[in-house]
Amino acid sequence: MKCKSCRGPAVVEVRRHNAAFCRNCFVAYVRGQVEKAIRRFEMLRPGQRVLVAVSGGKDSLALWDLLLELGYDAAGLYLGLGIGGYSDRSGELVRSFARERDAELLEVDLRERYGFDVPTAGREGSRSTCAVCGLSKRYVFNRAAIEHGFEVVATGHNLDDEAATLLGNTLRWNTEYIARQHPALPAREGQGGRAMARRIKPLHRLTEHETAAYAFLRGIDYVVEECPLVAGNTQLRYKDAIAVIERTSPGSKAQFFLGFLERAAPLFRAAADPSLVECASCGQPTTGRFCAFCRARAQILGVRLGDGPAERPGESAEGLASELPTEVLPVELYGPEPERAGARK
Ligand code: AMP
Ligand code: ZN
């Protein structure tokens, strides 16, 4: 096979484009796709400062690498979820990536800062492990961005992730969630200034296969293992289903999600977003009195909101713990991914 661009020997095949590339041309192709995504959705200004949420997996490390290579002032954010050896290895790989590139890395440890980790949440709460994990990530990413003065948070969601999310939302005709599925969600103001950072997904045009090949060809050392808690996750089953279709009709996945963005998303645009107020416990944005993260945390720790280590004690919330809603993925944080809510019950 020959490289589509330079006719040299190819090392990666991209079936949906009916193309193959040599190492250098593949790297250029990936960069081109990311630049296109950034331009199309006005994700970043040239050289802008951006906080990249990095898990230690191929997608987010590839994203960090790409943004640095494209000249953005990209700092990393690693959230320690406390998932045993899996989290230890992930954190180590993120730290060594940052050291090698001399890039800034922020770290938050869920247990140290908020008193619980993801495995405990799965045992103690009534919510699914993946739901609490997703909720915690969205919360911490936004909070860290606001506290450290970043206007933008980037995540490594790829085309496979986005197509699976869209399939899940479509199967349930969850039109409110469909309306919010977008590669660039705007910043939002709250009572006291910026409440939500802008949230972007610059890898949404690239498949998992492509980000893996990119990470490999760029010599990025990433965690290959899957999160041990994720087995059976609904999202994974949707990915499998899409892969079956893609095998016989290459390009379906891209048509499904990129076609949605171009032609269908505008039809779902929601009415005005509900206005944001400050969570009475932590001050982060919410549409209710307490944010979903504080409610979940209170339930996991078995404390009443307003008691214990909440950051604004004194504000009593009698009885609230008993009426904790079952809602797991709040619309006010980071765009919902409802199919995860149903996972691992
Ligand atoms: P996931 O929810 O695991 O599919 O991850 C989606 C995106 O969230 C990844 O591409 C990362 O950008 C980010 N992410 C996931 N886990 C972490 C973590 N432990 N620390 C920082 N960012 C993460
Ligand atoms: Zn809160």
Side-chain angles (χ1 to χ4, degrees):
M1 241 185 314
K2 285 192 176 146
C3 171
K4 182 188 175 187
S5 305
C6 74
R7 314 308 300 164
V11 295
V12 189
E13 192 183 359
V14 181
R15 265 187 82 202
R16 77 191 149 104
H17 291 314
N18 217 349
F21 295 100
C22 70
R23 184 192 173 282
N24 289 345
C25 294
F26 180 72
V27 167
Y29 156 78
V30 169
R31 266 183 211 153
Q33 292 295 317
V34 171
E35 284 179 298
K36 191 168 173 177
I38 292 175
R39 223 178 18 248
R40 168 75 183 76
F41 294 102
E42 299 176 343
M43 291 181 177
L44 294 166
R45 298 187 298 275
Q48 191 175 5
R49 192 161 172 257
V50 50
L51 186 61
V52 189
V54 273
S55 64
K58 60 187 185 325
D59 302 301
S60 48
L61 283 175
L63 174 60
W64 199 2
D65 178 75
L66 280 155
L67 293 178
L68 289 169
E69 291 290 314
L70 290 171
Y72 294 99
D73 183 1
L77 168 64
Y78 174 72
L79 171 60
L81 300 165
I83 310 178
Y86 169 74
S87 288
D88 298 340
R89 287 186 285 282
S90 308
E92 223 9 84
L93 288 170
V94 170
R95 279 173 220 118
S96 63
F97 181 98
R99 266 195 309 273
E100 276 166 27
R101 318 282 157 128
D102 203 14
E104 181 186 354
L105 174 64
L106 306 180
E107 289 201 49
V108 176
D109 186 84
L110 200 55
R111 174 162 284 286
E112 254 169 49
R113 176 126 188 222
Y114 298 104
F116 70 92
D117 53 33
V118 166
T120 324
R123 279 192 303 274
E124 306 297 329
S126 65
R127 294 138 202 265
S128 84
T129 314
C130 291
V132 177
C133 183
L135 172 62
S136 306
K137 283 177 201 163
R138 288 187 290 277
Y139 179 86
V140 171
F141 297 168
N142 188 62
R143 187 161 181 178
I146 299 293
E147 285 179 359
H148 293 270
F150 288 87
E151 286 175 38
V152 192
V153 180
T155 53
H157 293 93
N158 58 39
L159 180 59
D160 295 60
D161 297 326
E162 294 303 301
T165 298
L166 180 61
L167 179 61
N169 288 338
T170 305
L171 289 174
R172 292 183 196 86
W173 286 117
N174 211 326
T175 51
E176 222 180 280
Y177 288 176
I178 293 174
R180 289 162 180 279
Q181 200 182 342
H182 200 262
L185 292 170
R188 299 206 45 202
E189 301 302 314
Q191 292 157 309
R194 171 71 44 83
M196 305 256 310
R198 185 167 169 71
R199 292 144 293 156
I200 62 171
K201 299 175 178 175
L203 300 185
H204 75 271
R205 304 182 58 86
L206 292 160
T207 63
E208 217 155 84
H209 170 69
E210 290 161 7
T211 59
Y214 177 87
F216 174 76
L217 292 174
R218 290 279 299 156
I220 297 171
D221 202 3
Y222 62 87
V223 189
V224 181
E225 65 195 284
E226 190 81 78
C227 166
L229 304 177
V230 86
N233 178 311
T234 332
Q235 177 102 349
L236 290 184
R237 281 185 274 126
Y238 292 149
K239 281 189 180 174
D240 291 343
I242 293 171
V244 171
I245 299 171
E246 184 73 18
R247 220 168 292 140
T248 47
S249 311
S252 302
K253 186 165 46 193
Q255 271 167 23
F256 179 54
F257 184 65
L258 301 179
F260 159 75
L261 290 182
E262 295 305 326
R263 294 190 297 281
L267 307 176
F268 288 92
R269 275 293 121 74
D273 283 326
S275 58
L276 298 177
V277 294
E278 288 178 11
C279 166
S281 173
C282 74
Q284 288 295 289
T286 179
T287 52
R289 178 154 180 227
F290 294 101
C291 75
F293 179 80
C294 286
R295 294 197 304 264
R297 177 171 175 269
Q299 188 192 49
I300 293 159
L301 300 180
V303 297
R304 275 212 316 246
L305 268 173
D307 283 348
E311 283 157 46
R312 287 185 199 175
E315 271 180 279
S316 111
E318 305 281 22
L320 225 141
S322 61
E323 34 182 276
L324 284 174
T326 49
E327 153 228 353
V328 280
L329 294 175
V331 294
E332 70 263 29
L333 284 170
Y334 214 68
E337 287 161 43
E339 67 287 347
R340 294 187 190 184
R344 291 188 53 86
K345 279 269 150 67

